[in-house]
Amino acid sequence: MLTAKSLFQEILDHDESFRLFCSIAASGETQGGWENGRIAALVPESQRAMARKIARHGADEEKHGRIFNALLRRRGLQAVAVPAAADYTMLLERRGIGLAHEKLQRDEPLTETDIVAYLAHSRITEERAAAQMGLLQKHFGDHPEVGKAVRMIARDEDNHLAYCHEELLRLSGAGYAEEIRRALREGVQAEIAVHRDVSLAVMERMGHILRWPRAKRALLTAGIHALYAYEQAYGWRRMVSLRMPERRDALGGPAPAAPEFA
């Protein structure tokens, strides 16, 4: 039976598919770490209290990149280049979502509007990340090879999502409610389209590596398109709603070390 668990088990069991999966994950997390680090350095004076939390977010993402690279090393594998069609972070930037790298590379303070754009982008993408890691934790949280890494990253992603909710609600109460609502609505439509395109690209590459039959590829393609249709019609709402999290000040402390993976 074709399930999320059986698909990931196939990927996990084959060195080349596992190599591609970890390479894509490591690249995205490392890129996110750099972006958050730059944002923390450029936070406007009016929002300096956020800098420590943004830096913690970046440190977590960098840690995740090291974890995925460490999983590769344990198998004696090296990372491969991420196909352009599977580069989730860069595809979102090309659609104008979040803060452009060109802006982050300059040593000019960001504006409060930039911070709203950053948090709205993060709220959407962290929803996706938390859901994906939650699914992996459900099925592979006790796996002897990847279980510890999955549990650690899933916990961090839940913290990141909680932080985004709390900070966006704070800014909403400070007069940015309409700007936040607009940024979330625009961002989510771009994200669900990019997620569909990246999913199709990764599925195509995995299918080639694992020699999936045509019928299996067709079924997976149909499933990806069905998910996109659902998210475009209804599912996007869960990615833009805001609620005060049970876990308050989730990024208020230093990032926990992960020496066993670094």
Side-chain angles (χ1 to χ4, degrees):
M1 182 178 178
L2 189 58
T3 64
K5 182 176 182 179
S6 66
L7 280 174
F8 189 73
Q9 189 68 61
E10 276 191 83
I11 292 168
L12 181 61
D13 289 344
H14 191 286
D15 278 353
E16 283 306 306
S17 55
F18 184 70
R19 185 185 189 195
L20 178 62
F21 170 81
C22 288
S23 297
I24 291 172
S27 175
E29 296 286 356
T30 301
Q31 186 63 57
W34 177 85
E35 290 172 359
N36 278 278
R38 290 301 298 156
I39 293 167
L42 301 174
V43 169
E45 195 59 39
S46 60
Q47 299 295 327
R48 286 308 300 173
M50 282 186 62
R52 180 168 50 89
K53 297 179 182 180
I54 299 171
R56 160 73 186 276
H57 189 177
D60 283 348
E61 302 287 5
E62 289 176 351
K63 177 184 69 178
H64 299 167
R66 295 195 303 272
I67 288 172
F68 283 113
N69 281 316
L71 290 173
L72 286 174
R73 289 196 301 273
R74 286 182 177 181
R75 283 206 193 179
L77 303 172
Q78 291 186 333
V80 294
V82 175
D87 195 332
Y88 175 80
T89 302
M90 294 309 300
L91 289 173
L92 282 174
E93 182 183 346
R94 287 176 192 164
R95 286 177 173 255
I97 304 304
L99 300 181
H101 285 186
E102 182 183 358
K103 179 187 286 284
L104 296 180
Q105 287 166 346
R106 298 196 296 263
D107 289 324
E108 299 175 7
L110 300 173
T111 66
E112 291 195 350
T113 295
D114 290 330
I115 296 302
V116 167
Y118 150 69
L119 283 170
H121 168 260
S122 295
R123 186 263 173 273
I124 294 166
T125 56
E126 293 298 339
E127 177 83 31
R128 181 75 70 187
Q132 290 177 334
M133 292 309 303
L135 183 63
L136 284 179
Q137 181 170 241
K138 175 183 176 182
H139 295 304
F140 294 93
D142 295 325
H143 191 277
E145 182 179 9
V146 301
K148 194 170 188 178
V150 165
R151 294 193 306 272
M152 181 181 293
I153 297 172
R155 182 181 65 243
D156 287 346
E157 300 297 4
D158 287 342
N159 283 339
H160 299 167
L161 184 57
Y163 147 78
C164 291
H165 277 278
E166 187 171 2
E167 294 299 331
L168 283 169
L169 286 169
R170 179 182 63 80
L171 288 172
S172 182
Y176 287 94
E178 186 55 40
E179 194 170 336
I180 290 169
R181 187 158 38 246
R182 184 170 59 252
L184 288 171
R185 290 289 183 94
E186 292 173 357
V188 74
Q189 293 303 319
E191 194 282 337
I192 61 177
V194 167
H195 180 259
R196 174 203 59 196
D197 294 345
V198 168
S199 297
L200 290 169
V202 173
M203 185 276 296
E204 180 63 28
R205 190 63 65 96
M206 290 296 183
H208 176 73
I209 292 171
L210 296 169
R211 299 182 179 181
W212 285 338
R214 184 176 299 177
K216 185 171 184 175
R217 296 189 195 206
L219 184 59
L220 289 171
T221 298
I224 292 168
H225 284 295
L227 175 62
Y228 171 71
Y230 166 76
E231 290 190 331
Q232 192 176 44
Y234 307 104
W236 63 269
R237 291 176 174 82
R238 84 178 190 283
M239 302 175 78
V240 301
S241 62
L242 294 175
R243 61 190 181 281
M244 189 56 71
E246 293 182 11
R247 192 176 308 181
R248 303 289 293 274
D249 197 27
L251 298 186
E260 66 272 31
F261 293 107

